[in-house]
Amino acid sequence: MNKTLKTILQIKATVGANTFLYYLKRLWLIGKHIPDRVYMDETLKKFLAVLTTVLGQFMKLIGKAIYLLLAAGLPLMLAMEKGMLEPAQAPSHLVNILFFLSCITGPMQDSAVFGVTRQKFIALKYMKMPPKRYVYADLFMRYVPFFLYFLPGLIGAFLIAGGSIWQALGSFAMLFSFRFLGEAIQVWYYEKKEIVLSRKVGLVWLLIGLSLLGAYLPILMRVELPTMRILFSIPGIIVMLLIGAASFYYVIWGYKGYETAFLRSVDQKFLLSSMMQESKSSTFSDVAVKEEDLKADERVAGRFARLQGYAYLNALFFARHRRQLVKPVKIRLLIILAVFLGGLLFAFLDPAKAQQAAGQIVTFLPFFVFIMYFMSVGDKACRAMFYNCDMSLLHYGFYRQPKVILKNFRFRLLRVGLYDFVIGLALSAAVALFCAAAGAPWATLDLAMFAATILLLSVFFTVHHLFLYYVFQPFTTDLNVKNPFYRLLNTAVYILCFICMEIRTGSMGFTLIVLGFTAAYIAAALILVYRFAPKTFRVK
């Protein structure tokens, strides 16, 4: 067992260290000074392996706290602010959210036994490790940190929500029992049908939808489900512990097929095709070209007859992707129109409150920063560019020439920027028209700065996504995102937008800060693209 654990940790740590070195060598300024022989430096790689392992565990610990904050803490705080529940009801709703999200959906959409990982394939197929030993070690390595990292977060969450440590410990027992119940159900079903339930996408999404309704609908309906009263009663605790113990026994000792039938779940052909299908369905399925999109060639052939070279290529690309890119813009515009019409109805039914709301709308600028993050179509455009164009053409030398890369970047920046700018313009116009309809001053400096900030944010998010795509090119040929620096910067921008949403002021000072930051970021990003994209924009 100890030897198996060490081997799995060494595989994960080595892969992590090599991945870090690979992308570190491709960073500007410092990458060219790092020689290829660093891959042979065992001391350095051991240090990086330990570092990445420690950082990975630390991020998992922080991740549990962030999960509890976003999944339970934030909805409960917003509900209490709106008067939808009393503070005394918070612990009960917290248990209900954890039950549906972590005990029902969690184990069914993410199985430790049947999880598809490269280290599992390496250990079982290349190193011929006994499957039973691997499963035991993997379960230990997966669930011991999982439960240990959840415990302090649960205690803190319940104390903040006005609950008790005993309720936190009860939730801990609930998580343990239902997690292993889910694993046992998956192992039992695989024993009967040799089908992995967590890979049945339709079933998983159905469970996710039902669990979201069970977790949050009671809050909206102002109903308190008896989840905590049932599960945390003495009979409930006894039943949960018995279920957890029986499930644990079945997964560890009851199932006898680890050495035989289990190996078929990690067959190389199935593993690779499963990873590809999972990547396509989760990341690229919404940008795949359909037969109806190819008909754009016939419709626009005459219009693009005057174009040639890369201008024609890009024009044809965006014509073929009208469904993937223009349709989302139209949907966003319809949403803005619907909200605007709702505002007009509000102004008609209650003019006094509408005028008051219109007068304070500029104070909601921090919230609009977060809205514009999700309104942008830049991320989807980059995925479409890679999946349907760049992944193939980057194999050819003529397409990797610096002037070609920058020429395509300029065309794409203008086109995607136009999409986002139209959304920002519509949002700014809707706000101004609502203020005018409500009888509030609309031709003011504050509102002009508000509109300017929205428009600049639309440009900001376009540049942000294209900058990350061209400088870091995060996608690989197996349609996964491997670049850790891409993830880091993208997450940092998301967190900044989320923090802005929590700011309760939209003063001129905040507006100027946003304007200054976005302008500086846009300028820096464009400089970095022109400086490094010709070297970093490659297929991997």
Side-chain angles (χ1 to χ4, degrees):
M1 179 74 167
N2 289 335
K3 183 179 179 180
T4 305
L5 279 172
K6 289 180 181 178
T7 303
I8 295 174
L9 286 172
Q10 285 175 349
I11 294 173
K12 294 182 69 173
T14 301
V15 170
N18 285 338
T19 301
F20 178 83
L21 288 173
Y22 175 83
Y23 286 105
L24 185 66
K25 278 176 59 60
R26 277 149 184 80
L27 282 181
W28 56 88
L29 299 180
I30 62 174
K32 60 184 179 181
H33 299 296
I34 300 176
D36 290 336
R37 63 175 179 272
V38 293
Y39 290 105
M40 298 184 293
D41 191 332
E42 292 188 7
T43 303
L44 175 63
K45 290 185 70 173
K46 286 181 181 179
F47 170 76
L48 289 176
V50 172
L51 180 63
T52 54
T53 302
V54 172
L55 288 177
Q57 297 304 309
F58 177 74
M59 292 304 298
K60 288 181 180 179
L61 175 62
I62 299 299
K64 295 294 183 290
I66 294 175
Y67 165 74
L68 290 171
L69 174 64
L70 296 180
L74 186 59
L76 292 177
M77 286 189 291
L78 292 175
M80 285 187 283
E81 285 183 5
K82 300 295 183 181
M84 300 174 68
L85 64 86
E86 298 295 327
Q89 298 175 310
S92 176
H93 282 286
L94 177 56
V95 172
N96 190 67
I97 292 172
L98 289 172
F99 173 74
F100 280 101
L101 298 188
S102 297
C103 298
I104 302 299
T105 300
M108 297 305 295
Q109 60 90 29
D110 182 25
S111 170
V113 174
F114 296 105
V116 179
T117 61
R118 283 186 173 85
Q119 59 263 23
K120 174 181 283 188
F121 182 78
I122 293 171
L124 296 181
K125 292 294 183 177
Y126 291 154
M127 302 181 68
K128 303 298 181 181
M129 188 180 292
K132 193 172 184 179
R133 265 177 38 201
Y134 178 88
V135 171
Y136 291 174
D138 193 42
L139 285 172
F140 178 85
M141 192 170 60
R142 170 78 174 270
Y143 279 123
V144 169
F146 177 86
F147 291 121
L148 288 179
Y149 297 162
F150 241 125
L151 185 57
L154 287 172
I155 293 175
F158 274 94
L159 292 179
I160 292 173
S164 65
I165 293 179
W166 290 110
Q167 290 172 338
L169 294 176
S171 298
F172 184 80
M174 179 180 71
L175 285 173
F176 171 83
S177 300
F178 282 94
R179 270 281 168 174
F180 275 98
L181 175 61
E183 293 285 358
I185 290 173
Q186 297 222 43
V187 171
W188 173 81
Y189 195 78
Y190 184 80
E191 183 180 20
K192 300 298 181 184
K193 304 288 186 179
E194 288 202 12
I195 295 174
V196 180
L197 287 175
S198 59
R199 296 173 191 165
K200 306 295 288 184
V201 178
L203 174 64
V204 170
W205 278 107
L206 177 62
L207 284 176
I208 290 174
L210 294 176
S211 295
L212 289 173
L213 289 176
Y216 300 117
L217 190 59
I219 298 176
L220 297 175
M221 301 294 293
R222 306 191 181 198
V223 174
E224 186 176 352
L225 296 182
T227 308
M228 186 172 74
R229 292 198 301 272
I230 294 174
L231 295 179
F232 288 9
S233 63
I234 293 178
I237 291 290
I238 293 174
V239 170
M240 281 197 303
L241 292 177
L242 289 176
I243 288 175
S247 301
F248 182 82
Y249 175 84
Y250 177 72
V251 171
I252 300 299
W253 295 288
Y255 178 57
K256 305 300 183 181
Y258 285 121
E259 303 293 342
T260 56
F262 175 74
L263 279 175
R264 288 193 285 275
S265 72
V266 287
D267 180 75
Q268 183 179 20
K269 181 178 178 181
F270 174 80
L271 174 64
L272 295 177
S273 64
S274 174
M275 291 173 65
M276 289 287 287
Q277 291 300 322
E278 182 181 348
S279 298
K280 289 180 182 179
S281 62
S282 62
T283 308
F284 292 95
S285 62
D286 59 337
V287 296
V289 173
K290 298 181 180 179
E291 185 176 352
E292 61 191 77
D293 300 321
L294 298 178
K295 295 179 181 179
D297 295 2
E298 302 173 2
R299 295 195 301 267
V300 302
R303 196 192 332 159
F304 296 156
R306 59 183 177 80
L307 300 176
Q308 57 182 340
Y310 294 104
Y312 178 81
L313 172 68
N314 283 288
L316 186 60
F317 172 85
F318 283 101
R320 283 181 176 178
H321 290 77
R322 287 181 60 83
R323 178 180 58 84
Q324 295 93 331
L325 300 178
V326 177
K327 186 177 178 180
V329 174
K330 292 180 179 179
I331 292 174
R332 286 158 172 77
L333 294 178
L334 288 175
I335 292 173
I336 293 171
L337 177 62
V339 174
F340 171 67
L341 293 177
L344 292 183
L345 181 62
F346 175 48
F348 176 76
L349 296 175
D350 196 339
K353 287 187 178 179
Q355 185 177 16
Q356 182 182 6
Q360 297 177 350
I361 200 166
V362 294
T363 63
F364 288 93
L365 179 60
F367 188 73
F368 279 92
V369 173
F370 197 67
I371 289 177
M372 289 303 298
Y373 177 88
F374 289 101
M375 285 285 191
S376 173
V377 296
D379 175 62
K380 191 172 186 178
C382 291
R383 287 185 285 116
M385 292 168 194
F386 180 79
Y387 183 56
N388 297 314
C389 182
D390 297 335
M391 183 170 65
S392 299
L393 291 181
L394 279 173
H395 287 287
Y396 299 98
F398 68 87
Y399 196 75
R400 297 195 302 268
Q401 294 179 9
K403 62 179 181 180
V404 173
I405 289 175
L406 296 179
K407 181 184 292 186
N408 288 331
F409 171 78
R410 288 193 294 270
F411 190 98
R412 293 169 171 184
L413 176 64
L414 292 175
R415 181 57 69 92
V416 180
L418 178 62
Y419 294 154
D420 284 341
F421 191 82
V422 168
I423 296 171
L425 187 63
L427 187 60
S428 302
V431 170
L433 291 173
F434 170 70
C435 292
W442 61 274
T444 63
L445 177 61
D446 284 342
L447 199 58
M449 294 293 288
F450 176 90
T453 304
I454 295 296
L455 294 176
L456 191 60
L457 283 170
S458 69
V459 179
F460 168 79
F461 287 115
T462 301
V463 173
H464 167 68
H465 289 298
L466 285 171
F467 157 65
L468 293 183
Y469 179 50
Y470 268 85
V471 173
F472 295 97
Q473 207 300 82
F475 308 120
T476 59
T477 52
D478 60 357
L479 306 181
N480 287 313
V481 178
K482 294 297 183 183
N483 195 322
F485 300 102
Y486 167 85
R487 294 181 184 274
L488 181 64
L489 286 176
N490 210 22
T491 303
V493 170
Y494 173 83
I495 291 174
L496 283 175
C497 294
F498 182 81
I499 292 174
C500 286
M501 188 177 67
E502 297 299 305
I503 297 174
R504 304 300 182 185
T505 179
S507 63
M508 183 63 72
F510 177 82
T511 303
L512 293 175
I513 290 174
V514 173
L515 286 172
F517 175 80
T518 52
Y521 185 97
I522 290 170
L526 292 177
I527 292 172
L528 291 174
V529 168
Y530 274 81
R531 175 68 177 84
F532 298 107
K535 301 176 182 178
T536 58
F537 193 59
R538 297 287 187 269
V539 68
K540 301 167 184 175

